[in-house]
Amino acid sequence: MDKDLQGKTALVTGAASGIGRAVALLYGQHGAKVMVSDIDEEQGRQVVAKLKAAGAEARFFKADVGDPAQCYRLVQETVAAFGTLDMACNNAGITGELSRTADYSLDGWQRIINVNLNSVFFCLKYELEVMLKQGAGSIINMSSILGQVGTPTLAGYVTAKHGVIGLTQTAAQEYAAEGIRINAVGPGYIDTPLLKDFSAETKQALVALHPIGRLGRAEEVAELVIWLSSNKASFVTGSYYPVDGGYLAR
Ligand code: NAP
């Protein structure tokens, strides 16, 4: 494995499971020191143990990304532990309520926007403060194919993921000249615990929406995140990259 991220530091939210876990593990394989963050402490600590067993330096910090104070402390803890913050993947997210727009509860709406959109702003804000002082950094915000198109019963999720792309494009322009790159990634349906409430029938119907003929794997998303994080993507900023088995090409 190419240790092209040796000596660099990375922060990943939602890193106890699915895509975030795969991103954290791949950062480690590329030589980075990794701050694993999640609300699930037990699973998060297992990811740290796996990283350490593979020879990487890693820590866990429990943070609910829906709370700006916890996002602030997460960034501070990362810098205190590793000295810098070179790369961040703002990945934590939930599906939220499944209902048509008129039936969507007010509480459910506030919650999905807070966990999937406000959280990205909170993390980005505090990560940028550190990266501006360093004069360098690379941030990847986890959007979705549903950051580009709508789908019934997921109004809150779709709105939040569209917002993540707009936020990414805006911040990328603001900080491009100061050495900070900011990009968004848009996975198609990936077989992770996020889909645990979907029936086998629904999953089969989702497969049919991907010309490649299957759901994605978390590791396939992680490969894109690591590339965007690295200097190999030195001219890439403000972009939205789908990794979706052809979903958006239909
Ligand atoms: P996942 O397997 O459910 O992992 C998400 C992790 O984030 C879980 O450990 C979860 O903890 C944690 N989390 C939830 N709320 C949090 C909060 N408020 N603060 C901190 N951590 C929190 O999901 P995934 O499929 O890897 O999804 C990761 C990201 O990719 C999400 O932003 C999702 O929207 C996006 N995405 C996923 C897919 C897909 O098909 N899987 C497609 C497109 C985009 P708990 O398990 O305790 O809730």
Side-chain angles (χ1 to χ4, degrees):
M1 178 72 66
D2 185 358
K3 297 275 182 194
D4 54 331
L5 302 179
Q6 193 80 45
K8 301 257 188 202
T9 60
L11 181 171
V12 187
T13 67
S17 172
I19 295 170
R21 178 179 185 275
V23 169
L25 294 175
L26 198 55
Y27 270 135
Q29 284 177 40
H30 280 255
K33 301 171 198 172
V34 191
M35 179 60 87
V36 172
S37 183
D38 205 286
I39 43 172
D40 185 337
E41 182 157 0
E42 196 189 322
Q43 297 284 339
R45 290 201 182 277
Q46 283 180 22
V47 174
V48 168
K50 203 168 158 66
L51 277 160
K52 285 184 172 166
E57 206 176 310
R59 303 271 180 99
F60 177 79
F61 187 80
K62 184 174 180 174
D64 178 342
V65 293
D67 176 357
Q70 294 186 44
C71 296
Y72 177 75
R73 283 205 297 279
L74 167 60
V75 171
Q76 297 308 307
E77 282 293 322
T78 307
V79 177
F82 301 141
T84 60
L85 175 62
D86 302 311
M87 305 169 290
C89 180
N90 299 319
N91 161 80
I94 55 173
T95 305
E97 218 171 288
L98 296 173
S99 37
R100 288 205 298 169
T101 304
D103 302 322
Y104 216 100
S105 74
L106 297 178
D107 282 352
W109 180 267
Q110 303 280 9
R111 178 165 151 70
I112 188 79
I113 297 300
N114 197 48
V115 176
N116 282 16
L117 177 58
N118 293 349
S119 65
V120 177
F121 166 68
F122 301 149
C123 289
L124 192 57
K125 176 174 167 61
Y126 300 124
E127 290 157 4
L128 283 167
E129 284 178 4
V130 174
M131 290 179 177
L132 276 168
K133 284 188 205 138
Q134 296 171 176
S138 176
I139 298 173
I140 289 85
N141 296 323
M142 196 56 67
S143 180
S144 166
I145 44 171
L146 300 181
Q148 292 281 285
V149 293
T151 198
T153 75
L154 280 172
Y157 186 91
V158 167
T159 302
K161 293 300 186 185
H162 274 69
V164 167
I165 295 175
L167 176 58
T168 301
Q169 290 171 332
T170 301
Q173 291 179 57
E174 291 169 344
Y175 299 103
E178 286 160 280
I180 303 168
R181 295 185 298 102
I182 309 167
N183 291 287
V185 164
Y189 284 90
I190 309 297
D191 201 2
T192 73
L194 194 81
L195 307 188
K196 63 181 181 300
D197 295 333
F198 292 25
S199 66
E201 223 170 39
T202 305
K203 278 196 182 178
Q204 216 36 56
L206 291 176
V207 165
L209 302 175
H210 300 73
I212 231 165
R214 62 173 174 83
L215 301 183
R217 293 188 294 272
E219 293 73 18
E220 293 173 311
V221 181
E223 288 290 348
L224 176 58
V225 171
I226 270 52
W227 178 75
L228 284 169
S229 302
S230 76
N231 282 336
K232 289 176 185 160
S234 53
F235 199 54
V236 181
T237 197
S239 291
Y240 163 82
Y241 275 80
V243 46
D244 68 353
Y247 183 106
L248 290 175
R250 291 171 307 133

